[in-house]
Amino acid sequence: MDAKIHCRILFSGDARRRSPFLHFSPADAHAFVEECVNLMLNLGGRWFSAWIDQTRYPQQLKLVNGLPFDVNEKHLAGLACFAAIANMQHHEGTTYLLAFDTDRTKIDWGLARLQATHFTRVHSNAVELSSGYVCLLDMADICAYATAQAILAAHGKPNKKAARFLDLAKSMNIQTSEFCYQQRGVGPLERSSTLASDEQEKKS
């Protein structure tokens, strides 16, 4: 009952066979996730996500008054998280509680090395979930994985696994935005990077 749902393990045969879900076939795993989603929807759950095309994102950034730093997947995951939060606030407002999986890995932001989840931890709405609600993080994992697989299926030649998530993401009605990079000149001697979701860019 206390097994954690990590979809990258659940839908990877070798990893699944080393997990509490070792008795699941791929079809069982998908049916299990669908059941979790339906239960969440019946409780009134809403889903928001954001994604970044890593191939179109700069490999290096520089914050104001900071040093250049290499952008890795942990930077992008953090930026996508805040894009999803902004997307959610646009639809639902700012009255919410923000729970997250702690990632203590420190990464370079040019100004300092901070934990990957630092900006989430200091968010004014941040909370630590009690044991009875930790399963909500599993639901967030399903949302993130379904978003990624559905986007891969929609933008490339889908394999059987990815294609199944198109229907799942549709049933979840995930409100998804793309997080884009926009460079803007701020003066003759300086240039800074402005980060905005595509939904925000369309409004400007």
Side-chain angles (χ1 to χ4, degrees), residues 30-105:
H30 200 84
F32 172 66
V33 166
E34 284 184 329
E35 182 179 357
C36 291
V37 165
N38 289 333
L39 289 170
M40 192 71 183
L41 291 173
N42 289 339
L43 292 171
R46 299 284 304 279
W47 311 84
F48 297 89
S49 67
W51 63 283
I52 297 172
D53 183 347
Q54 191 170 3
T55 64
R56 294 193 291 113
Y57 207 86
Q59 295 182 350
Q60 193 174 75
L61 289 178
K62 179 180 181 295
L63 302 181
V64 176
N65 297 326
L67 297 172
F69 61 92
D70 293 333
V71 177
N72 62 38
E73 290 183 357
K74 290 187 180 293
H75 291 96
L76 298 181
L79 295 173
C81 173
F82 276 93
I85 292 172
N87 187 17
M88 186 262 304
Q89 288 184 168
H90 174 72
H91 290 85
E92 302 289 336
T94 58
T95 304
Y96 61 88
L97 299 177
L98 176 62
F100 56 94
D101 265 329
T102 301
D103 184 347
R104 301 189 183 282
T105 306

Side-chain angles (χ1 to χ4, degrees), residues 124-155:
S124 59
N125 296 40
V127 297
E128 185 173 346
L129 290 176
S130 62
S131 59
Y133 291 92
V134 171
C135 60
L136 290 173
L137 297 177
D138 296 349
M139 300 301 100
D141 187 275
I142 291 173
C143 179
Y145 193 83
T147 296
Q149 292 297 324
I151 288 172
L152 289 173
H155 287 78

